[in-house]
Every structure is written in structure tokens, then in C-alpha cells.
Amino acid sequence: MAQPALSAFPITRKWPARHPDRIQLYSLPTPNGVKASIALEELGLPYEPHLVNFETSDQLSPEFLSLNPNNKIPAILDPNGPDGRPLALFESGAILVYLASKTGQLLQQDTAGRYETLQWVMWQMGGLGPMFGQLGFFHKFAGKDYEDKRPRDRYVAESQRLLKVLDQRLQGRRWVMGDSYTIADIAIFPWVRNLVGFYGAGDLVEFGQFTEVQRVLDAFVARPAVARGLAIPARG
């Protein structure tokens, strides 16, 4: 039986695949979005990026919702998924795990190491990302105008706690998992970069005290694949 072509997926009507043999990436250069592009660059997988423009509510279009009903980026469509069948996938953490598993890279092959890596990916997904995102809202965006600073201060305190956890983890380690650079680093450090960069919250969380986090952040952004991935998809 013939396998379905990418044209069978409604999302390709809005974002036609010029290279249907490549992984299709639907994203935006946000901390979650660049996880996928950085992983793809690190792994050397052929892919075709498509910009999902929030300014024109692309994420709410029927075509995008047909792939991700949760209307968030990133999402991918792999024409060469498991058993040779196309696979549509959303959630940045799931995409990282899938790409690492597909290639056998960026994720330990032994069972214990694999699950230890995954626990740090889940830690970022459930804690670091949401808390930093809330802090960004109350510090940089509409929430900054609230007279009551208790919500902001709550997220400042929790962000500091999480940074302390990460700082302690990195002591004596080159990366989150030691000498091995993994999807745990790709999950975590775009959010750290965003906190002190785009959100401008470094002073607020007293980032200077987290010297191990700063050290690894510097090493992370110095990687050529990271530098490329941070700008993909290019904004129009």
C-alpha cells in the first residue's frame, strides 16, 4: 500500500513543501521554537523551515491546527517517520526526544542515562520554561503595569530557585549530563538565554550569582549549530 504523501496533510496547503523529502519545521524563533531548529542543526538532518507568524495569527489557522490543535510552536512533519510513514508531531520536548531517538544522537543509549537525560528535559518543560515565561510576562510585557508586584515576585523567587537547582547540577560538569552534550542542554539553555536577554530579567533574578549556569550558557551559544538554530525560521 502506498504511503500518504505530505500533500495529504492540510498544513502543507498553507506552507507548501518545496522539499517534501525533508522534515518540515513549523516554528518561530522563541525559546521553545529554537529547540527544534537547534536540534535539527546539531543532528545535520535535512529540513525545511516554515515561519509561523504570530502577528498574523498563523498559529490559529485551520491548517496549523490540523497538525497541532494546541496552537503552539514548534511542530514538525517528518516524511520518513517510523516504519517509513509520515509523522506529524508537536510539543518541543517530544520533538527533541523523537529527533534524538531517530538518529541515536544527543541522548544516552544506556537505559539509566537515557532516563536521567529525560528527567532534565521534563524538568525544563514542567518548571523552567513555564516559570521563566510567567516572569517575562510580569516583568517585560503587559503584567509589568500591574501595581501589585506579588505575582512578579512569586515568579522571581521560583526562577531563582530553579536557577540554583541548575547551578548545583552543573558544578563539576561540562554539560547537564556531564561530558555529553544532549537534548537536556538544548531544552534548557534557550530559556536561560531568553531570561537574561530578551526578557531583561538578569538583574531581577540576580543572575550573576549563578556562575555555573553562565559558564554553560556561554559554551552553549558558542556552538555553531546553536548560532544557526537561534535564527531559524528567519523572520520576514
Side-chain angles (χ1 to χ4, degrees):
M1 181 182 296
Q3 304 298 345
L6 289 190
S7 59
F9 293 83
I11 195 167
T12 62
R13 300 171 196 163
K14 186 173 180 67
W15 292 278
R18 293 178 291 110
H19 303 282
D21 57 326
R22 302 180 185 178
I23 292 173
Q24 304 295 302
L25 170 65
Y26 309 93
S27 192
L28 187 69
T30 68
N32 282 333
V34 299
K35 293 178 199 174
S37 52
I38 289 171
L40 287 163
E41 288 289 331
E42 292 278 12
L43 294 167
L45 288 168
Y47 71 102
E48 180 178 351
H50 303 278
L51 180 69
V52 180
N53 193 338
F54 284 8
E55 294 179 2
T56 54
S57 298
D58 282 352
Q59 77 277 18
L60 301 177
S61 65
E63 294 87 354
F64 188 80
L65 291 173
S66 70
L67 191 152
N68 184 2
N70 197 39
N71 67 271
K72 303 293 183 182
I73 57 92
I76 65 168
L77 181 54
D78 184 359
N80 301 301
D83 302 319
R85 300 178 62 86
L87 175 68
L89 200 61
F90 64 88
E91 282 296 326
S92 59
I95 291 170
L96 287 179
V97 175
Y98 171 70
L99 294 175
S101 299
K102 178 183 176 75
T103 59
Q105 301 179 57
L106 300 177
L107 183 60
Q108 276 78 349
Q109 297 303 301
D110 65 289
T111 302
R114 176 183 176 87
Y115 282 107
E116 189 177 353
T117 307
L118 292 178
Q119 79 177 351
W120 286 101
V121 174
M122 302 307 165
W123 177 81
Q124 182 279 308
M125 297 292 294
L128 195 79
M131 294 303 105
F132 284 11
Q134 293 290 352
L135 177 54
F137 172 79
F138 284 104
H139 179 61
K140 183 179 177 68
F141 297 108
K144 72 180 185 299
D145 298 325
Y146 294 3
E147 292 185 12
D148 186 348
K149 297 305 179 186
R150 286 176 294 180
R152 185 204 67 178
D153 292 345
R154 176 186 187 278
Y155 292 115
V156 168
E158 181 62 6
S159 294
Q160 289 177 317
R161 187 191 70 79
L162 290 164
L163 284 166
K164 183 178 180 180
V165 171
L166 181 59
D167 203 68
Q168 291 174 338
R169 171 66 182 182
L170 292 171
Q171 289 179 11
R173 291 182 171 89
R174 184 181 179 191
W175 301 103
V176 171
M177 289 301 297
D179 289 337
S180 299
Y181 173 78
T182 69
I183 57 172
D185 303 292
I186 297 175
I188 291 168
F189 284 99
W191 273 104
V192 176
R193 175 179 177 270
N194 206 65
L195 179 74
V196 299
F198 181 67
Y199 288 162
D203 290 342
L204 196 61
V205 298
E206 301 176 337
F207 188 72
Q209 67 181 299
F210 304 109
T211 55
E212 295 298 313
V213 178
Q214 181 68 71
R215 171 183 61 83
V216 181
L217 174 62
D218 291 343
F220 178 74
V221 298
R223 294 179 68 88
V226 171
R228 294 192 300 270
L230 286 171
I232 295 172
R235 296 177 185 267

